[in-house]
Amino acid sequence: MIEVCKLIKLFGAKKVLRGMDFHAQEGEFVALLGPNGAGKSTFLRILASLSRPTAGEVRVAGYKLPGQAAAVRARLGVVTHQPLLYGDLTAEENLRFYGRMYGIGDLNTRTDEVLELIGLAPRRRDLVRTFSRGMQQRLAIGRAILHDPDVMLFDEPHTGLDQDACDMLDNVLREVAARGRTVVMTSHDLARVEDLATRFDVLSRGVITASTGRNELRGNLLDFYREALAI
Amino acid sequence: MDHRPQTQKQKPPSTVHRPSSATGFARAVFAITWKDLAAELRSRELLSAMLVFALLVIIIFNFAIELEPKLRPVITPGVLWVTFVFAGTLGLNRSMAIEKDRGCLDGLLLAPVDRSAIFFGKMIGNLIFMFVVEMIILPVYSVLYNLNLFIPGLLLVILLGSVGYVAVGTLLSSMAVQTRTRDMLLPILLFPVIVPVLLAAVKASGGFLQGLELTEIIPWLNLLAVYDVIFLAVAYMVFDYVVEE
């Protein structure tokens, strides 16, 4: 579903990704771990076609980036630590706006489904700027799954959320993954991703230094992570 | 060694319609314009700032320049267009800043539509805000200076001039918004580029207000129309590169 080969990304003279290889199969939930500045967000922005790779090959859902970016975007849902929502529109209006941008057919039905799924149906007519950070993040997930994408990218979705909001977000993430979508999520919260992901990749200094499946993980994730960073 | 687990659950078939490029473009343009108008109707941040600024400018000009009645048609085009351009710059800056500050520009860029649809959607929204301000400023100016500005030819000049100004302004504001000094950068980028449209708009407006022959005004109208077409085409071609990281 996602194939990345020898990916290089330069910002001026600074090399952020240094020949990175990455693969994710259909239905996998990959947690991409790494310290600040490792290139996790840059990598997700390239997968999302928001940034051009300097060199290397990137394919998402069979389509090549950046050449077939529009086809990739139609099959991609993205959630970042910013909600990408308009505060002066209601929850329903935000979803309907993005639904029109994605050309969703039966928008009324789909908006109702998504609002029910994320638990915001009772607040559908409230302005987003009145929402808590946790509610905004749930609506952001609703925005990202509205067009039923095959691949979901989450860039540190737990950032700024309290414990209850994180738990609620995790439930929504499990629902998203249970529908067979391929998920790539960056996070610093090892305890949370340990329960959610089926595979853990560690990105350090622009390359994947270690990768393991949840079933193959020996010991706990923190030890695996520390060992990977030491490589 | 490959540690990847096999997929355990299959995704059910999608029930969501994928957009076709033929209708997707127009739908995206309409959606963005509608979104800007709906958000502005609630917040009134952008229009109120533009309007208050424009009113202040013409009132200050009214106090600063004691105009003889015969001089008014000569001075008015300059005062009007300076007012429109400065007030418009405020709106252009704010319109793109709203997208950037909450990361919504990324949300727009993630949509599977031709990215020039984002440009046209934002541009039409900005143009509507500009027209609203102009339609309020014109009667106020008419009362303050006792000068009839509701001349069809002048309204045509305002239409053409505004399209050219907003087309360039929307494109440059989407560049400026990526920088930390966006508020200062936009006027510095924009004003040199709009010199032709400003010159043609002032000359054509003056022609209609002074009652010149149409043959003397038409070259300026042609310049405005050509400028509009060129910059709409340029924006259509380069917007994708302007907004990409």
Side-chain angles (χ1 to χ4, degrees):
Chain A
M1 188 57 81
I2 301 174
E3 295 167 55
V4 177
C5 192
K6 294 182 174 33
L7 175 64
I8 294 172
K9 178 66 183 180
L10 297 172
F11 286 112
K14 192 182 176 196
K15 213 171 198 177
V16 179
L17 299 175
R18 303 159 178 263
M20 177 183 175
D21 293 320
F22 178 88
H23 300 274
Q25 292 177 341
E26 191 176 340
E28 265 194 312
F29 191 134
V30 182
L32 191 60
L33 312 171
N36 289 331
K40 302 186 297 294
S41 296
T42 301
F43 175 58
L44 288 198
R45 287 183 71 79
I46 290 171
L47 289 184
S49 78
L50 293 171
S51 182
R52 273 177 189 260
T54 307
E57 196 167 304
V58 182
R59 280 183 184 274
V60 178
Y63 296 95
K64 199 173 175 184
L65 285 172
Q68 296 170 303
V72 170
R73 290 197 293 265
R75 287 154 183 83
L76 201 68
V78 180
V79 177
T80 70
H81 46 268
Q82 283 191 306
L84 318 188
L85 298 167
Y86 295 93
D88 288 318
L89 300 184
T90 65
E92 188 177 17
E93 286 170 343
N94 266 286
L95 292 185
R96 291 178 69 83
F97 165 65
Y98 280 107
R100 288 192 198 104
M101 292 295 287
Y102 281 84
I104 292 169
D106 189 356
L107 197 48
N108 290 334
T109 309
R110 185 62 186 156
T111 305
D112 291 346
E113 279 174 11
V114 169
L115 284 168
E116 286 293 338
L117 178 70
I118 58 176
L120 287 176
R123 301 287 304 268
R124 62 192 303 152
R125 292 196 173 85
D126 291 351
L127 294 183
V128 167
R129 67 172 133 90
T130 66
F131 282 11
S132 68
R133 171 91 179 93
M135 288 164 72
Q136 289 194 17
Q137 199 62 332
R138 274 152 58 200
L139 187 59
I141 293 177
R143 170 193 54 73
I145 61 172
L146 193 64
H147 57 295
D148 200 14
D150 301 319
V151 180
M152 299 278 314
L153 307 177
F154 292 90
D155 189 6
E156 298 179 20
H158 297 96
T159 303
L161 299 183
D162 63 25
Q163 193 68 29
D164 288 346
C166 282
D167 292 343
M168 205 173 280
L169 178 65
D170 286 351
N171 289 335
V172 178
L173 285 170
R174 283 190 191 93
E175 288 255 8
V176 166
R179 288 178 65 86
R181 294 184 175 97
T182 305
V183 179
V184 180
M185 183 169 85
T186 69
S187 181
H188 293 290
D189 191 338
L190 300 187
R192 286 199 178 277
V193 296
E194 193 164 9
D195 287 340
L196 290 167
T198 56
R199 204 181 91 218
F200 310 98
D201 282 11
V202 179
L203 179 63
S204 177
R205 293 185 292 277
V207 289
I208 300 287
T209 55
S211 175
T212 184
R214 182 162 58 192
N215 298 336
E216 289 78 31
L217 188 66
R218 295 190 201 99
N220 63 38
L221 184 59
L222 182 61
D223 292 338
F224 167 75
Y225 178 65
R226 281 181 178 152
E227 280 173 28
L229 290 184
I231 294 171
Chain B
M1 184 177 164
D2 192 351
H3 294 291
R4 280 174 242 131
Q6 292 300 305
T7 305
Q8 290 170 343
K9 294 159 191 162
Q10 289 301 309
K11 186 182 172 193
S14 172
T15 53
V16 175
H17 165 75
R18 303 282 186 210
S20 73
S21 58
T23 53
F25 188 90
R27 188 169 39 222
V29 170
F30 174 77
I32 293 168
T33 304
W34 171 86
K35 179 266 298 174
D36 278 357
L37 297 180
E40 181 55 26
L41 212 60
R42 295 225 173 86
S43 70
R44 296 192 180 92
E45 281 178 16
L46 196 145
L47 263 180
S48 57
M50 289 171 76
L51 202 56
V52 168
F53 183 84
L55 287 169
L56 284 173
V57 170
I58 59 166
I59 288 169
I60 288 168
F61 269 118
N62 190 37
F63 289 131
I65 310 170
E66 285 291 333
L67 286 182
E68 293 287 320
K70 65 179 179 183
L71 281 178
R72 284 174 194 164
V74 181
I75 301 294
T76 291
V79 174
L80 266 186
W81 279 102
V82 164
T83 307
F84 293 158
V85 164
F86 284 174
T89 309
L90 281 184
L92 291 167
N93 248 331
R94 186 72 201 133
S95 166
M96 269 297 169
I98 290 167
E99 303 291 352
K100 189 70 181 171
D101 289 346
R102 294 177 62 90
C104 295
L105 188 57
D106 282 349
L108 297 181
L109 296 175
L110 284 166
V113 291
D114 188 326
R115 283 175 172 168
S116 54
I118 300 170
F119 166 80
F120 283 106
K122 294 297 295 180
M123 194 204 93
I124 293 170
N126 289 335
L127 197 56
I128 291 170
F129 297 141
M130 189 86 181
F131 285 149
V132 170
V133 170
E134 287 165 347
M135 288 308 112
I136 293 171
I137 289 299
L138 285 182
V140 174
Y141 191 99
S142 293
V143 170
L144 281 175
Y145 289 87
N146 193 23
L147 184 69
N148 178 24
L149 296 177
F150 290 90
I151 304 164
L154 179 64
L155 296 179
L156 175 68
V157 175
I158 290 173
L159 172 75
L160 289 174
S162 300
V163 169
Y165 171 74
V166 170
V168 181
T170 304
L171 181 66
L172 294 180
S173 67
S174 58
M175 285 168 71
V177 81
Q178 319 273 0
T179 68
R180 276 178 292 179
T181 55
R182 64 189 178 207
D183 292 335
M184 287 181 286
L185 191 61
L186 180 61
I188 292 169
L189 290 174
L190 179 59
F191 291 163
V193 184
I194 57 153
V195 165
V197 77
L198 201 54
L199 180 71
V202 168
K203 291 289 185 187
S205 302
F208 282 113
L209 285 172
Q210 292 162 48
L212 299 182
E213 291 292 321
L214 201 57
T215 50
E216 291 181 62
I217 303 170
I218 278 184
W220 297 113
L221 289 176
N222 287 341
L223 179 60
L224 276 176
V226 169
Y227 187 96
D228 289 358
V229 172
I230 287 173
F231 270 94
L232 286 171
V234 167
Y236 176 76
M237 288 187 287
V238 305
F239 188 76
D240 199 354
Y241 298 97
V242 166
V243 290
E244 196 162 72
E245 204 168 77

